[in-house]
Amino acid sequence: MLSGCSRKKSRFTSRAYHNTTVRYNYFFNAREIKRETERALYDQHKDDFSEVLPLFIYPTEDQAKALYPDMDKIIEKTSTAIDRHSMYLKKKEHNRWVDDCYMLMGIARFYKQEYFVGEEVFEYIAKSYKKQDERFLGLIWLARTHIELGNMNKAESYLTLIDEQGVPKQYSSDYNALYADYYIKKKNVDDAVNRLEKALETTKIKQEKTRYNYVLAQLWLKKKEYGKASDLFTRVIKLKPRYDMLFNAKISRAMSFEPGSENGKDIKKMLTKMVKDGKNEEFLDQIYYALADIAFKESDEPLGIVYLQKSAAASISNDKQKALSYLRLGEIFYVKPNYVSSQAYYDSCLTVLPEDYERYESIYNRSCLLYTSDAADDLLC
């Protein structure tokens, strides 16, 4: 019996024993830990809907540290499985679950933010399984790793390599979504849209469909393609996501409003109804901001200003939204020009705007300029 379970020869009994042992004693348990970790990360994640949403949810630095015990369990289980049950003979692995164990090991390193160790694992998969589809998964995670490290040229080289060799259908969705993520970080909206549309053609996971559709709608909104954005936000609503995304999809659909469209009255009616709904109390700032956006599109600037002021006043816990309302008011009065009011709104914006906001420095500089400009001095005297 012992000789029949040897790893030195690829007998049917040997393969059956080692395949079964790895699958049910090691791989299954490690995979369940990974799945539970990813569910927890998704549940804990809080999206900033004022920005383009991340396509993938990764742990923060603090979360990564908290994940160490579970990720170490995955690494231990997969390492043991490989050490005891690998059947690598004549430059070929005869245990069909070993490559899956390597993938789980690499992903565990990635979630621990041990990117360089994870990179070595993914490189091994890509090089050792050249004649199998699994190598593409290794290449995808290599690209993912380099995107997180900020090595965009290296990431692009792996993405291009996959494209040239033809990604297998089972990895098509992950690959195209990752390529879209790459383009979003490069601020290439057009190519990001194309890749995300391809990802949506093949994904079957509801959670992915919802997030990909939402991000695609945001990208069309950036391109001022309001009709396409509105259709996609409607699709998100129909997918019935959790409440924060559902609410923001409704708000964003309203902000995709095109002047003169037939559904203009219905959108304003919906937003007014949302204002009166008690469960939306903490979201009033966003609702008023959407109403302001509609007013400006309809060339009703006084009403738009009133709604922006209401939005800023209603912000209780959402400093980012308060800052955006103040910022827009500052920009409106700067153009008039009414420098006293403009500077006051810019100043209010800076008191709550996160310093890592993309335009923080330019907003700060304009606020300082208004303090020192002759026009402002004349008005302040």
Side-chain angles (χ1 to χ4, degrees):
M1 182 180 69
L2 291 173
S3 63
C5 297
S6 171
R7 294 190 292 147
K8 295 181 180 179
K9 291 186 179 181
S10 180
R11 297 190 181 98
F12 172 78
T13 52
S14 296
R15 292 197 306 273
Y17 169 74
H18 291 292
N19 272 310
T20 302
T21 303
V22 171
R23 181 179 183 182
Y24 293 107
N25 287 10
Y26 299 99
F27 170 74
F28 176 82
N29 293 322
R31 183 185 63 183
E32 288 306 301
I33 294 171
K34 170 185 168 287
R35 286 178 173 176
E36 189 57 40
T37 296
E38 289 172 340
R39 278 193 290 268
L41 285 173
Y42 177 79
D43 291 339
Q44 294 166 14
H45 179 75
K46 188 174 181 180
D47 282 307
D48 179 358
F49 290 94
S50 66
E51 303 286 348
V52 174
L53 301 190
L55 287 168
F56 307 102
I57 296 172
Y58 302 139
T60 62
E61 188 175 344
D62 289 338
Q63 286 175 323
K65 290 177 182 177
L67 292 177
Y68 279 12
D70 284 339
M71 295 303 100
D72 285 340
K73 286 179 185 177
I74 292 176
I75 294 166
E76 180 184 358
K77 288 180 183 296
T78 53
S79 298
T80 303
I82 294 165
D83 289 342
R84 295 181 182 178
H85 301 283
S86 172
M87 298 179 68
Y88 195 77
L89 305 167
K90 296 180 180 179
K91 297 182 180 182
K92 182 179 179 182
E93 179 59 61
H94 295 270
N95 188 325
R96 59 175 297 191
W97 297 100
V98 165
D99 60 325
D100 297 288
C101 286
Y102 274 118
M103 276 307 309
L104 286 174
M105 184 192 298
I107 292 169
R109 294 291 188 183
F110 181 93
Y111 284 156
K112 288 181 72 176
Q113 298 186 354
E114 295 175 350
Y115 297 121
F116 296 106
V117 183
E119 180 188 1
E120 291 178 0
V121 179
F122 299 136
E123 280 183 347
Y124 175 81
I125 295 168
K127 291 176 181 177
S128 300
Y129 296 91
K130 288 184 178 180
K131 295 182 180 180
Q132 296 169 244
D133 288 348
E134 283 73 18
R135 75 180 297 263
F136 287 96
L137 198 54
L139 290 170
I140 287 169
W141 277 88
L142 275 170
R144 194 185 297 258
T145 299
H146 284 290
I147 288 173
E148 289 307 295
L149 288 169
N151 300 332
M152 305 307 277
N153 290 337
K154 191 80 171 179
E156 185 180 21
S157 68
Y158 285 118
L159 292 168
T160 303
L161 178 63
I162 297 168
D163 210 19
E164 290 172 351
Q165 296 186 3
V167 64
K169 188 175 181 180
Q170 66 265 37
Y171 303 133
S172 177
S173 177
D174 285 345
Y175 167 68
N176 282 299
L178 185 63
Y179 221 146
D181 182 57
Y182 165 82
Y183 281 128
I184 288 170
K185 287 180 169 61
K186 295 281 286 185
K187 301 188 186 305
N188 185 339
V189 175
D190 290 338
D191 286 332
V193 165
N194 291 335
R195 286 293 175 177
L196 207 44
E197 287 178 336
K198 288 182 180 179
L200 279 164
E201 289 174 4
T202 52
T203 185
K204 296 179 181 179
I205 301 171
K206 180 185 174 183
Q207 185 174 304
E208 288 181 357
K209 281 184 182 179
T210 305
R211 182 164 287 270
Y212 294 176
N213 272 301
Y214 197 101
V215 173
L216 185 57
Q218 289 181 306
L219 295 177
W220 280 120
L221 204 55
K222 277 183 171 289
K223 288 166 64 68
K224 300 188 186 301
E225 293 280 358
Y226 299 116
K228 291 180 179 179
S230 180
D231 289 344
L232 285 160
F233 284 125
T234 300
R235 192 179 300 173
V236 172
I237 293 166
K238 289 180 179 178
L239 286 167
K240 298 180 180 178
R242 63 187 190 188
Y243 189 73
D244 59 342
M245 184 172 283
L246 177 65
F247 171 85
N248 279 280
K250 291 179 179 179
I251 291 294
S252 296
R253 183 177 64 176
M255 294 179 71
S256 303
F257 162 81
E258 290 185 280
S261 62
E262 295 180 1
N263 61 347
K265 290 182 179 179
D266 291 337
I267 290 173
K268 285 184 280 188
K269 186 177 179 180
M270 177 196 74
L271 291 172
T272 303
K273 187 177 180 180
M274 290 172 73
V275 168
K276 297 176 182 178
D277 190 337
K279 69 179 179 181
N280 290 327
E281 186 175 358
E282 65 176 302
F283 303 117
L284 285 174
D285 50 355
Q286 291 171 256
I287 300 172
Y288 284 130
Y289 191 88
L291 285 165
D293 193 70
I294 292 172
F296 288 125
K297 285 179 179 176
E298 293 181 330
S299 301
D300 191 344
E301 186 180 89
L303 181 60
I305 290 171
V306 169
Y307 278 133
L308 284 178
Q309 291 169 335
K310 285 186 175 184
S311 173
S315 287
I316 301 171
S317 58
N318 191 344
D319 284 347
K320 184 77 170 288
Q321 181 59 63
K322 184 187 282 285
L324 291 175
S325 298
Y326 281 136
L327 174 60
R328 197 161 183 180
L329 285 163
E331 290 171 340
I332 289 167
F333 283 99
Y334 182 85
V335 172
K336 282 187 175 296
N338 182 336
Y339 295 129
V340 172
S341 296
S342 177
Q343 196 285 319
Y345 284 123
Y346 274 119
D347 196 45
S348 296
C349 170
L350 289 169
T351 61
V352 288
L353 186 68
E355 290 189 17
D356 60 354
Y357 182 66
E358 186 178 18
R359 292 180 54 203
Y360 185 91
E361 187 176 350
S362 64
I363 295 166
Y364 177 80
N365 289 338
R366 173 161 291 185
S367 179
C368 291
L369 180 65
L370 286 168
Y371 263 126
T372 58
S373 68
D374 292 336
D377 288 339
D378 291 340
L379 288 166
L380 287 167
C381 290

